[in-house]
Amino acid sequence: MTTISTAYSASIFDVERFRRDFPILQREVYGRPLVYLDNGATTQKPLPVLQTIERFHNQINANIHRGVHRLSAESTEEYERARATVQSYINAKHSHEVIFTAGATASINLVANAFGDAFVHQGDEIIVSEMEHHSNLVPWQMLCQRKGAHLRVWRFNDQGELNLDQLATLMGKRTKLLAITHVSNTLGTVNPIAKAIQIAHEHGVAVMVDGAQGIKHGKVDVQHLDADFYAFSGHKIYGPTGIGVLYGKEQWLSQMPPWQGGGDMVATVTLERTTYNELPFKFEAGTSNYIGAAGLAAALDYYSAVGPDAATAHEEQLLRYATQQLQTIEGVRIIGNAEHKTAIVSFVQQGVHPYDTGMILDKMGVAVRTGNHCTQPTVDHFGLPGTVRASFAFYNTMAEVDRLVEAVQRAKQMTA
Ligand code: PLP
């Protein structure tokens, strides 16, 4: 099925060769070659992913876990194979610790509801960091409201870093869970989650890691991290939209009640009462996105063949170059200067609204994101209306960084 990716174990990181796997990167916008620097929002899809989805629709499609017929059996096999691929990619101990969801947001909501129902009571506390995406903040606010629990905030400094010493001071007898992003989608900060998890566990606190950005920052090993929960979306790691993963330790998942009711999550149903299916199906009510799951598995296979470490090293080079070049432009201020950063550079231009910079860049064929990036408290920390955010993937090039810098210079001239 994946005919292309195995060719990519070369020791030299051959960006041009990888780019040929991404049809969309060949297109133009406004008569210029597209420079796609909005990878924090979603990544583009390589041919093996697109081919997997097409092949599934053309040759296999049937609903999973339900039919006795051949296609349904094949569909189910592909779906469970995809689960095994995810398990192996994140090094989960058991395949039933991998729950397929619609995405990172759905995964976090699942935990906020099911873990929240089982373990969070009036007067308990949940800790979130100040740099969370709304997806890893709002579900916890909602839980606290529902349960009469309290939200405590782990603040970051002006570099965009969290101080581990402060974490222990936030933990008390009533703390039930720490919700923390692996990588900030606005500041690019790579958080010291392994240490944070260790501290939390010393206090008997469970940890929900939002891995929406972290999943494509090198290799993730959930057992090594000792994360209780790790959530991510397929579309941010070169896979399809509408599919995501919740990894959860068996010890938690088995004690949590189901969140949504429906087909597939049940063992027996009478008009009076229902017993629930075993893990992972207990948390997969209704028809799962089985084709999306196969697409996600193809994406993980592809990315593994590219080499997560080599990809990350290349992205870090792009980050360094972009940071250095943008800083040469008068009036540009980089937001988020953590020592340990991923390939996300947020900035503002003196006297220019981020939205205007984004519009001018767009007209020059450079796609970036502007605004608060669903992290309003993060941009509020800096007293800003938003930032311009360029976020890189392994298929971006130094020449594209030059196009970004040139466009930002142009924006400065046009608005002077
Ligand atoms: N968390 C972080 C850090 C993100 O960057 C995002 C998306 O931008 C999400 C959560 C939500 O992901 P999704 O919209 O795919 O559920």
Side-chain angles (χ1 to χ4, degrees), residues 154 164-165 167-168 171 178 180 191-209 222-229 249:
W154 185 11
L164 285 165
D165 292 339
L167 179 59
M171 302 222 169
L178 164 67
I180 170 94
N191 284 318
I193 50 165
K195 290 205 181 101
I197 290 168
Q198 194 189 335
I199 294 169
H201 287 174
E202 281 162 13
H203 290 78
V205 172
V207 183
M208 163 90 244
V209 181
V222 290
Q223 287 193 76
H224 179 71
L225 287 174
D226 202 19
D228 297 284
F229 301 101
K249 277 186 187 164

Side-chain angles (χ1 to χ4, degrees), residues 49-97:
V49 171
L50 303 174
Q51 287 160 352
T52 297
I53 295 168
E54 197 183 353
R55 184 185 67 94
F56 213 125
H57 278 113
N58 287 341
Q59 294 182 27
I60 304 176
N61 183 42
N63 209 330
I64 52 166
H65 297 150
R66 283 162 203 195
V68 289
H69 61 81
R70 176 78 206 165
L71 292 192
S72 180
E74 282 183 19
S75 225
T76 305
E77 258 169 47
E78 295 270 353
Y79 183 61
E80 293 308 324
R81 206 180 358 255
R83 198 188 306 279
T85 301
V86 175
Q87 178 199 354
S88 148
Y89 188 81
I90 61 174
N91 193 29
K93 192 166 176 191
H94 307 290
S95 66
H96 59 250
E97 292 178 321

Side-chain angles (χ1 to χ4, degrees), residues 40-41 103-106 108 133 135 181 183-185 210 212-213 233 235-236:
T105 303
I108 296 165
H133 188 280
S135 291
T181 193
V183 169
S184 159
N185 62 306
D210 173 356
Q213 301 292 335
S233 298
H235 71 97
K236 292 195 198 278

Side-chain angles (χ1 to χ4, degrees), residues 109-409:
N109 275 278
L110 192 166
V111 178
N113 281 273
F115 178 94
D117 264 8
F119 299 109
V120 180
H121 306 289
Q122 187 166 12
D124 284 343
E125 293 177 356
I126 306 281
I127 302 174
V128 295
S129 92
E130 189 188 3
M131 65 172 78
E132 296 311 309
H133 188 280
H134 298 162
S135 291
N136 200 28
L137 170 60
V138 180
W140 304 112
Q141 289 175 337
M142 290 163 76
L143 170 66
C144 287
Q145 250 176 11
R146 223 167 38 240
K147 291 287 190 136
H150 307 290
L151 203 67
R152 304 201 67 187
V153 180
W154 185 11
R155 305 222 175 249
F156 60 79
N157 66 19
D158 290 346
Q159 300 291 104
E161 292 168 326
L162 292 163
N163 179 340
L164 285 165
D165 292 339
Q166 280 171 14
L167 179 59
T169 68
L170 290 168
M171 302 222 169
K173 284 198 179 67
R174 303 299 305 263
T175 313
K176 288 291 156 72
L177 183 131
L178 164 67
I180 170 94
T181 193
H182 188 167
V183 169
S184 159
N185 62 306
T186 298
L187 306 172
T189 310
V190 180
N191 284 318
I193 50 165
K195 290 205 181 101
I197 290 168
Q198 194 189 335
I199 294 169
H201 287 174
E202 281 162 13
H203 290 78
V205 172
V207 183
M208 163 90 244
V209 181
D210 173 356
Q213 301 292 335
I215 192 67
K216 85 170 211 0
H217 182 77
K219 196 88 166 81
V220 168
D221 181 331
V222 290
Q223 287 193 76
H224 179 71
L225 287 174
D226 202 19
D228 297 284
F229 301 101
Y230 194 98
F232 64 93
S233 298
H235 71 97
K236 292 195 198 278
I237 183 160
Y238 314 105
T241 45
I243 185 74
V245 168
L246 171 67
Y247 159 79
K249 277 186 187 164
E250 183 188 59
Q251 83 184 72
W252 292 118
L253 294 178
S254 60
Q255 293 182 74
M256 285 156 49
W259 176 34
Q260 293 177 321
D264 238 19
M265 51 75 74
V266 294
T268 59
V269 183
T270 65
L271 287 177
E272 290 74 35
R273 158 161 203 281
T274 293
T275 58
Y276 303 121
N277 206 339
E278 60 194 11
L279 289 175
F281 313 112
K282 180 172 88 172
F283 292 111
E284 294 181 355
T287 298
S288 298
N289 184 357
Y290 49 90
I291 301 187
L296 169 59
L300 294 177
D301 284 344
Y302 179 87
Y303 189 54
S304 298
V306 168
D309 290 339
T312 301
H314 172 72
E315 288 170 14
E316 280 171 0
Q317 272 187 340
L318 295 170
L319 174 70
R320 272 196 295 277
Y321 183 53
T323 305
Q324 198 185 51
Q325 292 301 305
L326 286 169
Q327 276 170 336
T328 64
I329 304 172
E330 206 193 314
V332 166
R333 177 179 155 216
I334 308 275
I335 307 299
N337 295 289
E339 199 183 323
H340 196 189
K341 267 186 83 170
T342 192
I344 289 173
V345 58
S346 265
F347 60 94
V348 287
Q349 273 188 294
Q350 198 177 17
V352 191
H353 194 282
Y355 184 74
D356 293 332
T357 306
M359 291 288 282
I360 294 168
L361 264 56
D362 173 53
K363 294 291 175 294
M364 297 183 73
V366 181
V368 292
R369 185 136 296 230
T370 61
N372 66 35
H373 320 296
C374 295
T375 58
Q376 205 176 322
T378 306
V379 296
D380 282 352
H381 176 109
F382 296 96
L384 294 168
T387 72
V388 181
R389 181 188 73 181
S391 49
F392 302 96
F394 68 83
Y395 45 60
N396 290 124
T397 65
M398 294 293 183
E400 289 183 315
V401 174
D402 288 335
R403 289 266 312 273
L404 165 73
V405 172
E406 187 196 321
V408 175
Q409 266 159 347

